[in-house]
């Protein structure tokens, strides 16, 4: 069941495909295919290649360096990126803080930050969650107190993804304790190199290092780095939630992982044939493929709505729930496929350049850590329970 | 069917708990897991003193002559604390193979040392292309003089590197996939031609690829009758399944307790998250899955000592399927209900989750045992 494309879109797709094929460095491609850890430089190199081509931020308005592609073309582009095993473009700058700056930032902020996000000169991270404020984000307590033309920021953020690489962090901070908790929050852009900021690594159970505590000890931040009005930060953060969310379904990535799963299943022996021919396993792969098709259909519908000028609403929550369930299921079936070879854990084999003979098939080395790591998907970005609360309330009116 | 534990079993349970309470907090376990062997030989000696190692060994050879149920009680306690010592590989599988296949002479030579903690065994039955089929043995044992030459690759052999001897399945007749023609041999781990590639496992244990390159054994190292080992291996693996199911019961209970406590302590929106009904229901699902799994596992453990092989296989496969389904539910939900905290390596939670996940991959996964169960006649 392929999408039927107009000849213009088909030509677009093939242009994108051949560009990526030629431009993606082989060492990066191989790491992504084998599920090995990517270094900061891998992400940055690939981002810069796309930037040079003018494709780093297709969803941005042309005036800021985006493209005039249709929503469908943007979707096709995403799919080609995934299909070719490219590293994910980090969303924190490109699709999280940039739209907020475009909509609510002042001229100086736009001029300074947007080009640096586009070119990947600055690496951004997201400072929302705190030890005491996860699902209940509005209860956050990191505070910013005015001092001359600055704020003095104190408190702690947690689970901050890849803060160890970051030059900038966008934070929700408390500027008032009057009224409802939501009404005393401001949106600040903070230089990660400021005195008073400490980053503490948090190891995840898969052995990886991608999240951190970020501590603020009387950090001086110019008030010029506040986006929009004081105490209006919650509105800006919510604006972000409704913005360009089809990406979170990660359809392209899931389709690519399904292709890889099929390769694994065909290589694994079972009974007199391969695991791909095993009725029970083939049935489970088919179920998953159908789940992906259904989600893709919904994404395409939203894409068409967007093209017709309708802004998506709480569908984002459906995409997040289903998209992450699919990602987790993919990781589960891969684990199931490799049987006993799920057990070995060779830390070095999670990195590129390990030259010892592999234990079991080469594709097996990262499968169990990947499964453990992807339990995060139903937790980050608002847990799936919270997403269901949103649908219940906003869509079903319960 | 007896569902309550005997006085002796309760004593065992208490002695395991008091040992693990002292020796197995998260930091100690982590340090042990990162040590050379991946477990403590001092603990092992202590297990011997406590009689745990002799539990499954016949009284005639210095053991306590315990049942599969007794061993399940022990394994459940080990699961509660994620004990790292190689009880499964050395005692349940190694000791089980000796009990079922060895001659009296071999038993007298080996069992006292095994029960006394001086001898460690590993059981090498799986192969890279076999998946969970115990008859897919491609390793060859070729007759040669008064003994055999072994050639082949055994995969993911648990605790092979710390074992003194490895019990290996190899083919003396027939082709890959034939049940007939498989034999068991007792191999010195340090013998020439026995090559180990040892590695840590994701759950903090140890295993190795064992490559046999013309390893020599004598006719005295043959365990049981030549070519007749398939049924023995199947019986040993069935015992191992009961053992890991019992371990999983202990793990699930701990995960449920941890999650229960977290729902009480963690506050969001001004109240403990345990007040949210959707989370209550998830915890209830976990609780129910555990109760059902425990009942079925103990029933299967009681069945395997007495029943003939088809009934035993049905009971064991039923337990493994139940544990497989319950394990993924309990493990995944325990992480989910902890939110971000569930993902860290800083809580012991993740270690329990990982071990529980790996139990599903051992000795046949849910699909494998569902198929085995379906193919067996009701008894
Ligand atoms: C890998 C990873 C990366 C992350 N990256 C970032 C980042 O870069 N920046 C950032 O700011 N944050 C990040 N987060 C944090 C993430 O957004 C939070 O973990 C998430 O919002 C949940 O908060 P919590 O961890 O405090 O869990 P809690 O809110 O304590 O939730 C615990 C459990 O209670 C449930 N629950 C809570 N409230 C309700 C309710 N009202 N109804 C029903 N169930 C409820 C939750 O669903 C969950 O199951 C990341 C998290 C992870 C795991």
């Amino acid at each position: 069941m392929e999408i039927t494309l107009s000849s213009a879109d088909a030509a677009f797709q093939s242009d994108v495909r051949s560009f990526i094929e030629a431009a993606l460095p082989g060492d990066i491609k191989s790491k992504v295919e084998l599920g090995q850890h990517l270094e900061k430089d891998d992400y940055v190199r690939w981002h810069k290649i796309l930037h040079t081509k003018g494709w780093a931020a297709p969803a941005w308005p042309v005036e800021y360096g985006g493209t005039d592609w249709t929503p469908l073309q943007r979707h096709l582009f995403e799919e080609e990126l995934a299909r070719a095993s490219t590293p994910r473009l980090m969303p924190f700058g490109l699709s999280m803080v940039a739209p907020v700056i475009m909509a609510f930032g002042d001229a100086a902020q736009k001029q300074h930050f947007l080009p640096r996000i586009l070119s990947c000169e600055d690496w951004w991270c997201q400072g929302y969650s705190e030890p005491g404020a996860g699902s209940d984000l509005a209860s956050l307590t990191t505070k910013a107190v005015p001092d001359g033309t600055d704020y003095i920021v104190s408190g702690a953020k947690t689970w901050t993804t890849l803060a160890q690489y970051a030059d900038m962090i966008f934070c929700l901070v408390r500027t008032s304790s009057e009224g409802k908790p939501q009404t005393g929050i401001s949106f600040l852009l903070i230089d990660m190199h400021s005195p008073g900021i400490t980053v503490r690594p948090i190891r995840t159970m898969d052995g990886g290092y991608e999240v951190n505590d970020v501590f603020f000890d009387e950090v001086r931040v110019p008030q010029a780095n506040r986006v929009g009005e004081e105490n209006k930060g919650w509105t800006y953060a919510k604006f972000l939630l409704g913005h360009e969310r089809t990406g979170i379904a990660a359809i392209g990535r899931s389709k690519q992982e399904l292709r890889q799963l099929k390769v694994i299943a065909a290589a694994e022996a079972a009974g007199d044939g391969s695991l791909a021919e095993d009725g029970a396993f083939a049935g489970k792969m088919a179920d998953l493929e159908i789940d992906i098709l259904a989600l893709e259909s919904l994404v395409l519908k939203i894409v068409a709505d967007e093209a017709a000028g309708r802004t998506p609403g709480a569908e984002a929550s459906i995409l997040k729930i289903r998209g992450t369930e699919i990602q987790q299921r993919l990781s589960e079936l891969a684990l199931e496929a490799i049987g006993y070879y799920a057990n070995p854990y060779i830390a070095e084999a999670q990195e590129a350049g390990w030259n010892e003979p592999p234990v079991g098939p080469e594709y097996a080395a990262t499968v169990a850590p990947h499964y453990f790591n992807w339990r995060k998907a139903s937790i980050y970005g608002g847990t799936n329970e919270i997403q269901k609360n949103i649908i219940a309330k906003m869509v079903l009116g319960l | 069917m007896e569902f309550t534990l005997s006085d002796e079993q309760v004593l065992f349970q208490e002695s395991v708990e008091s040992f693990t309470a002292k020796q197995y907090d998260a930091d100690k376990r982590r340090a042990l897991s990162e040590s050379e062997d991946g477990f403590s030989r001092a603990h092992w000696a202590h297990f011997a003193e406590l009689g745990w190692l002799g539990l499954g060994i016949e009284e005639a050879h210095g053991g306590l002559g315990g049942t599969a149920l007794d061993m399940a009680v022990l394994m459940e306690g080990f699961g509660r604390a994620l004990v790292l010592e190689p009880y499964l590989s050395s005692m349940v599988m190694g000791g089980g193979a000796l009990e079922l296949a060895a001659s009296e002479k071999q038993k007298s030579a080996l069992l006292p040392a095994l029960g006394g903690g001086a001898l460690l065994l590993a059981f090498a039955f799986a192969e890279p292309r076999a998946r969970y089929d115990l008859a897919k043995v491609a390793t060859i044992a070729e007759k040669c003089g008064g003994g055999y030459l072994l050639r082949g690759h055994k995969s993911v052999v648990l605790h092979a590197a710390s074992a003194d001897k490895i019990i290996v399945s190899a083919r003396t007749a027939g082709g890959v996939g034939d049940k007939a023609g498989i034999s068991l041999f007792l191999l010195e781990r340090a013998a020439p031609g026995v090559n180990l590639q040892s590695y840590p496992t994701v759950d903090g244990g140890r295993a190795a690829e064992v490559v046999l390159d013309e390893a020599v054994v004598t006719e005295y190292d043959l365990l049981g009758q030549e070519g007749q080992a398939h049924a023995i291996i199947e019986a040993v693996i069935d015992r191992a399944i009961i053992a890991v199911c019992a371990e999983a019961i202990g793990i699930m209970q701990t995960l449920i307790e941890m999650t229960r406590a977290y729902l009480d302590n963690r506050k969001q929106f001004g109240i403990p998250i345990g007040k949210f009904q959707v989370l209550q229901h998830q915890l209830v699902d976990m609780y129910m899955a555990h109760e059902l799994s425990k009942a079925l596992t103990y029933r299967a453990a009681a069945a395997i000592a007495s029943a003939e092989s088809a009934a035993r296989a049905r009971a064991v496969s039923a337990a493994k399927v139940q544990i497989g389904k319950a394990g993924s539910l309990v493990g995944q939900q325990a992480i989910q209900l902890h939110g971000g905290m569930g993902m860290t390596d800083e809580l012991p939670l993740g270690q329990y989750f990982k071990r529980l996940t790996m139990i599903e991959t051992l000795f046949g996964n849910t699909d494998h045992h569902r198929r085995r169960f379906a193919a067996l006649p009701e008894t």
Side-chain angles (χ1 to χ4, degrees):
Chain A
M1 214 181 336
E2 288 302 314
I3 316 165
T4 332
L5 296 178
S6 71
S7 59
D9 286 338
F12 170 85
Q13 187 185 43
S14 106
D15 280 356
V16 169
R17 192 172 293 180
S18 30
F19 171 76
I20 297 174
E21 228 160 70
L24 178 64
D27 60 322
I28 298 182
K29 184 181 173 69
S30 148
K31 284 188 197 181
V32 175
E33 278 174 349
L34 292 170
Q36 291 166 336
H37 288 149
L38 292 162
E39 309 285 331
K40 177 177 183 177
D41 176 63
D42 299 323
Y43 292 108
V44 173
R45 251 194 302 159
W46 176 238
H47 185 132
K48 291 198 161 162
I49 290 169
L50 286 177
H51 174 55
T52 308
K53 177 77 178 169
W55 289 357
W60 286 20
V62 177
E63 51 170 319
Y64 294 121
T67 67
D68 55 5
W69 296 349
T70 62
L72 178 62
Q73 287 175 327
R74 298 205 303 262
H75 175 77
L76 293 173
F77 177 68
E78 281 295 321
E79 184 157 311
E80 289 305 318
L81 287 179
R83 185 191 179 91
S85 299
T86 65
R88 196 162 80 100
L89 289 183
M90 283 297 139
F92 306 108
L94 288 172
S95 48
M96 292 183 160
V97 75
V100 173
I101 294 176
M102 285 176 204
F104 307 104
D106 61 28
Q109 289 168 344
K110 290 179 194 172
Q111 213 169 28
H112 178 73
F113 291 115
L114 295 178
R116 298 168 67 95
I117 292 173
L118 193 65
S119 67
C120 202
E121 197 167 337
D122 292 332
W123 184 295
W124 282 79
C125 63
Q126 178 192 26
Y128 282 13
S129 308
E130 298 183 0
S135 297
D136 182 13
L137 186 56
S139 68
L140 59 90
T141 58
T142 295
K143 64 173 196 288
V145 181
D147 183 65
T149 58
D150 296 334
Y151 284 113
I152 308 291
V153 176
S154 297
K157 295 291 176 182
T158 190
W159 312 123
T160 320
T161 299
L162 299 180
Q164 71 266 37
Y165 297 160
D167 304 297
M168 294 293 299
I169 182 169
F170 59 97
C171 283
L172 292 178
V173 295
R174 182 149 305 285
T175 36
S176 163
S177 46
E178 313 264 299
K180 279 181 31 177
Q182 286 84 347
T183 57
I185 292 171
S186 299
F187 197 106
L188 285 191
L189 312 177
I190 304 178
D191 186 339
M192 284 293 283
H193 311 293
S194 315
I197 294 186
T198 350
V199 174
R200 187 188 76 92
I202 302 173
R203 287 262 162 213
T204 46
M205 62 170 153
D206 54 290
Y209 170 28
E210 62 182 64
V211 285
N212 301 272
D213 283 315
V214 180
F215 300 107
F216 298 82
D217 180 14
E218 309 204 335
V219 177
R220 194 163 276 281
V221 181
Q223 288 190 15
N225 278 17
R226 188 190 66 230
V227 177
E229 292 175 49
E230 198 172 71
N231 298 330
K232 287 274 171 66
W234 188 255
T235 326
Y236 310 146
K238 286 190 73 168
F239 159 84
L240 184 57
L241 292 178
H243 194 275
E244 176 60 25
R245 296 294 276 176
T246 51
I248 55 172
I251 284 293
R253 303 268 156 204
S254 289
K255 283 168 89 173
Q256 178 60 12
E257 260 197 63
L258 182 69
R259 284 182 208 110
Q260 283 164 349
L261 178 64
K262 287 180 176 173
V263 171
I264 294 178
E268 286 289 324
D272 295 329
S274 77
L275 188 61
E277 297 156 320
D278 173 280
F281 197 79
K284 285 190 254 194
M285 286 203 297
D287 273 344
L288 187 52
E289 187 160 0
I290 294 163
D291 285 346
I292 294 175
L293 279 174
L295 186 64
E296 183 183 51
S297 309
L298 183 62
V299 167
L300 290 171
K301 176 182 168 291
I302 295 172
V303 161
D305 283 352
E306 261 182 84
R310 285 186 294 270
T311 43
E315 286 100 334
S317 291
I318 308 184
L319 303 186
K320 202 272 172 175
I321 295 170
R322 206 71 192 121
T324 55
E325 284 172 352
I326 286 169
Q327 287 161 344
Q328 292 182 334
R329 186 72 183 139
L330 280 159
S331 74
E332 232 172 275
L333 288 189
L335 184 77
E336 198 177 317
I338 62 171
Y340 279 106
Y341 282 116
N343 286 271
Y345 178 68
I346 317 244
E348 298 83 354
Q350 313 300 312
E351 316 290 337
W354 192 62
N355 290 321
E356 303 291 312
V359 174
E362 195 181 14
Y363 54 69
T366 57
V367 167
H370 181 74
Y371 168 77
F372 298 136
N373 181 264
W374 276 89
R375 301 316 308 167
K376 70 187 177 186
S378 48
I379 297 168
Y380 63 33
T383 68
N384 284 7
E385 286 78 17
I386 294 299
Q387 302 297 339
K388 286 185 186 174
N389 288 351
I390 292 174
I391 297 174
K393 197 168 157 189
M394 310 297 279
V395 184
L396 301 175
L398 291 169
Chain B
M1 204 161 35
E2 189 60 79
F3 269 111
T4 47
L5 298 182
S6 69
D7 293 349
E8 272 173 341
Q9 286 164 340
V10 172
L11 276 181
F12 253 119
Q13 212 169 31
E14 285 168 2
S15 79
V16 177
E17 262 166 39
S18 86
F19 166 78
T20 53
K22 280 194 227 79
Q23 297 301 333
Y24 262 95
D25 67 36
D27 290 341
K28 284 186 182 151
R29 180 181 186 273
R30 189 180 300 258
L32 270 188
S33 152
E34 285 165 3
S35 69
E36 171 84 26
D37 285 328
F39 66 90
S40 156
R41 289 186 185 259
H43 285 171
W44 195 249
H46 190 56
F47 288 10
E49 282 164 29
L50 290 167
W52 298 352
L53 302 187
L55 184 60
I57 294 175
E58 300 150 66
E59 281 165 290
H61 295 287
L64 300 176
T67 61
L69 198 60
D70 296 327
M71 280 169 129
V73 170
L74 195 61
M75 287 301 294
E76 184 181 349
F78 286 168
R80 300 271 286 145
L82 290 186
V83 165
L84 290 159
E85 279 68 27
Y87 192 83
L88 173 69
S89 52
S90 192
M91 305 311 303
V92 179
M93 294 199 281
L98 290 185
E99 184 199 322
L100 295 171
S103 66
E104 278 307 307
K105 199 167 160 212
Q106 287 168 323
K107 287 183 183 176
S108 318
L110 298 167
L111 288 178
L114 188 67
L119 173 68
L120 281 171
L121 296 175
F123 190 56
F125 64 96
E127 298 198 1
R129 301 288 297 166
R131 202 164 178 80
Y132 297 119
D133 187 343
L134 300 175
K136 279 202 179 165
V137 175
T139 297
I140 298 288
E142 188 190 322
K143 267 232 162 73
C144 173
Y148 302 82
L149 269 185
L150 303 186
R151 259 184 248 108
H153 179 167
K154 309 305 283 191
S155 54
V156 197
V157 182
L158 302 176
H159 286 293
S162 51
D164 304 296
K165 293 175 190 287
I166 304 177
I167 298 173
V168 180
S169 64
R171 189 163 285 291
T172 39
V176 178
D178 291 344
K179 288 185 180 173
I182 301 170
S183 306
L184 284 177
F185 297 95
L186 198 57
L187 194 64
E188 290 292 327
R189 195 252 305 139
V194 180
N195 303 308
L196 265 59
Q197 183 188 9
S198 182
Y199 45 79
T201 54
V202 292
D203 52 17
R206 292 287 186 283
E209 300 302 289
V210 177
V211 176
L212 303 171
D213 183 14
E214 314 229 314
V216 183
V217 289
T218 72
E219 59 188 310
Y220 305 108
D221 299 319
L222 177 69
L223 286 176
Q225 289 195 325
E226 190 183 282
Q228 305 293 311
H230 181 268
I232 308 270
I233 296 170
E234 200 177 1
V236 169
I237 295 306
D238 278 350
R239 291 183 181 194
I241 290 171
I242 294 301
V244 292
C245 285
E247 184 186 352
I249 299 294
I251 293 173
M252 286 194 267
Q253 189 183 336
T254 304
L255 283 171
I256 290 167
E257 284 168 7
M258 287 171 166
T259 307
R260 166 81 178 75
Y262 197 75
L263 292 190
D264 256 351
N265 294 332
R266 172 68 172 170
K267 286 202 175 77
Q268 287 289 275
F269 304 98
I271 49 172
I273 57 173
K275 293 284 173 229
F276 297 119
Q277 212 163 41
V278 63
L279 304 191
Q280 293 176 356
H281 286 196
Q282 290 183 22
L283 188 64
V284 169
D285 288 340
M286 292 160 68
Y287 168 79
M288 286 173 52
H290 172 257
E291 287 295 311
L292 293 162
S293 302
K294 182 165 179 166
L296 187 60
T297 296
Y298 274 88
R299 183 172 170 187
I304 78 167
S306 50
E308 37 80 44
S309 76
R312 180 196 77 209
R314 247 176 90 84
V316 167
S317 286
K320 190 68 165 59
V321 169
Q322 169 67 29
I323 290 289
K325 291 193 290 188
S328 76
L329 175 90
V330 171
Q332 292 177 357
Q333 290 299 359
I335 303 295
Q336 181 69 19
L337 296 189
H338 277 75
M341 286 308 288
M343 287 302 299
T344 68
D345 199 29
E346 292 168 13
L347 291 189
L349 188 78
Q351 310 297 324
Y352 284 86
F353 173 60
K354 288 193 279 186
R355 176 64 190 152
L356 192 55
T357 305
M358 285 308 109
I359 285 176
E360 165 68 1
T361 73
L362 300 177
F363 315 126
N365 63 9
T366 300
D367 270 4
H368 174 86
H369 284 286
R370 190 187 282 121
R371 194 172 297 146
R372 183 175 181 234
F373 181 88
L376 289 163
E378 207 178 315
T379 43

